[in-house]
Amino acid sequence: MAAAPSPLDRFVQRLLKDDPPRAQSLCVSLLGDALAPHGGAIWLGSLIELLEPLGINERQLRTSVFRLVARGWLRAERHGRRSLYLLGEQGRRDTAHASPRIYEGAQSDWDGTWTLVALPRIGNNAMAERAELRRELLWEGFGMMAPGLFAHPQIASGTAHDILERLGIPDKALVLAARDLADAGGLPIASLAAQCWNLDEVADQYRLHARHFEPLARLLRDERPTPAQAFAARVLLLHHWRRAVLHDPRLPAALLPASWPGHEARALCARLYWRLFDASEAYLDRIAGQDNAHYQPLGKAALKRFGGRDAQA
């Protein structure tokens, strides 16, 4: 007679039932969080073995990696009848870009300087470029202060220039540094925060993440996870966290509402991450490191995530 599922197993299955992850998105979460610090290479069979307990079947995974290869996010190598997948240039770039947002969050201090991006009205022949630039700026966390004017209090001007270069339009927008002169009688820029950023929606995402994973914190006080359980919980934890935090514009504390739920949600995520980390790494080493000459020892940068293990003591 099969043993009854443990409370940790039931937690994972309930989370998968209540909020089933999309295969490609979950694959990106796993590759960026768990595989990138080990060199970013894995056999297809090992990737299937890691994700199958999380509700992703082989057909779904093959479709996902095919699409990621088409995007340049992954690249494939054939070794006889086996396929090895490695992070491609786009995958490494996206992972490096997202990591500070996921593991570090916004800076606590702010000197009052804003980065502005202004799009001059020059005919109608660049509407597609303007729309694409708008999407990129909003995804990066900029808020739209007025038509054609975007602002952020902490993102450096170099990020805006990088976006313009990447889109091939470095000469189509103005990138400026500005300071608020509201003390001379003007409208404070900070008063437009609720208009420029949908902070209510971001706050709801943080509250949802906390509701999902507070039960896991209680379970881990009473139950020691197996390596397989720890790995499954870690992947889901980071997958849900990534979905929430990548929509956060990362505003300084001075511009956030009182009792901002993102602070507690990040603290909870950090505690759980390090509680699961060692056991999940043992499982990853056993599955992904098997017969994989590209699998590298854990990179030191991974040990600084969420402020490092010692910060959670």
Side-chain angles (χ1 to χ4, degrees):
M1 183 175 178
S6 74
L8 277 172
D9 290 329
R10 290 197 297 270
F11 168 81
V12 168
Q13 292 307 313
R14 185 168 58 251
L15 190 59
L16 290 173
K17 180 181 178 181
D18 292 345
D19 191 2
R22 293 189 300 110
Q24 185 171 316
S25 181
L26 188 65
C27 190
V28 167
S29 296
L30 184 153
L31 291 165
D33 176 67
L35 266 299
H38 289 283
I42 188 169
W43 293 109
L44 177 61
S46 298
L47 191 56
I48 292 170
E49 187 173 356
L50 288 174
L51 286 178
E52 196 167 32
L54 297 176
I56 308 302
N57 61 41
E58 181 175 345
R59 178 187 60 79
Q60 292 171 316
L61 185 58
R62 286 182 180 274
T63 299
S64 296
V65 296
F66 176 81
R67 290 173 177 169
L68 289 171
V69 169
R71 287 170 47 195
W73 215 95
L74 288 175
R75 60 184 179 89
E77 290 183 358
R78 292 291 297 178
H79 295 258
R81 300 179 63 183
R82 304 174 72 190
S83 295
L84 183 73
Y85 286 92
L86 306 92
L87 285 179
E89 182 179 347
Q90 187 66 46
R92 292 187 180 280
R93 185 164 54 243
D94 287 355
T95 297
H97 182 66
S99 289
R101 300 175 70 170
I102 294 171
Y103 303 110
E104 298 173 19
Q107 300 175 9
S108 58
D109 56 344
W110 177 47
D111 66 0
T113 301
W114 292 78
T115 295
L116 305 181
V117 179
L119 309 182
R121 291 184 177 275
I122 306 177
N124 294 319
N125 59 344
M127 292 301 294
E129 292 176 347
R130 290 169 64 89
E132 190 172 6
L133 177 57
R134 179 179 181 275
R135 285 193 298 269
E136 289 283 340
L137 291 171
L138 293 178
W139 173 249
E140 190 63 41
F142 281 83
M144 189 165 69
M145 294 276 178
L149 180 63
F150 300 83
H152 198 282
Q154 285 193 318
I155 294 177
S157 60
T159 299
H161 284 296
D162 288 344
I163 292 173
L164 293 168
E165 288 285 351
R166 186 166 67 249
L167 296 178
I169 51 173
D171 56 346
K172 298 294 180 64
L174 301 173
V175 179
L176 310 168
R179 295 188 66 86
D180 199 327
L181 301 179
D183 55 356
L187 176 69
I189 299 178
S191 67
L192 301 178
Q195 171 185 320
C196 299
W197 292 277
N198 191 345
L199 296 180
D200 288 341
E201 182 178 329
V202 176
D204 286 343
Q205 287 295 316
Y206 280 133
R207 294 189 186 99
L208 180 61
H209 188 273
R211 285 199 300 273
H212 275 317
F213 289 97
E214 280 168 351
L216 178 60
R218 294 192 292 271
L219 288 174
L220 291 177
R221 287 196 289 266
D222 302 325
E223 186 177 346
R224 184 182 181 87
T226 66
Q229 289 172 332
F231 184 79
R234 171 185 167 185
V235 172
L236 291 177
L237 174 73
L238 255 293
H239 178 64
H240 283 257
W241 177 247
R242 175 175 159 266
R243 289 195 313 181
V245 78
L246 292 183
H247 289 89
D248 187 339
R250 295 166 292 154
L251 302 181
L255 301 185
L256 292 173
S259 303
W260 178 243
H263 301 320
E264 290 187 7
R266 180 173 289 276
L268 173 65
C269 187
R271 289 196 304 272
L272 292 174
Y273 187 81
W274 286 112
R275 178 69 178 81
L276 298 164
F277 190 80
D278 288 343
S280 67
E281 281 291 303
Y283 186 73
L284 184 69
D285 290 345
R286 181 165 66 84
I287 303 299
Q290 183 178 10
D291 190 29
N292 185 353
H294 294 271
Y295 190 81
Q296 301 172 8
L298 184 69
K300 292 182 179 179
L303 299 177
K304 298 178 181 179
R305 291 171 170 175
F306 294 110
R309 188 196 310 270
D310 294 342
Q312 313 310 318

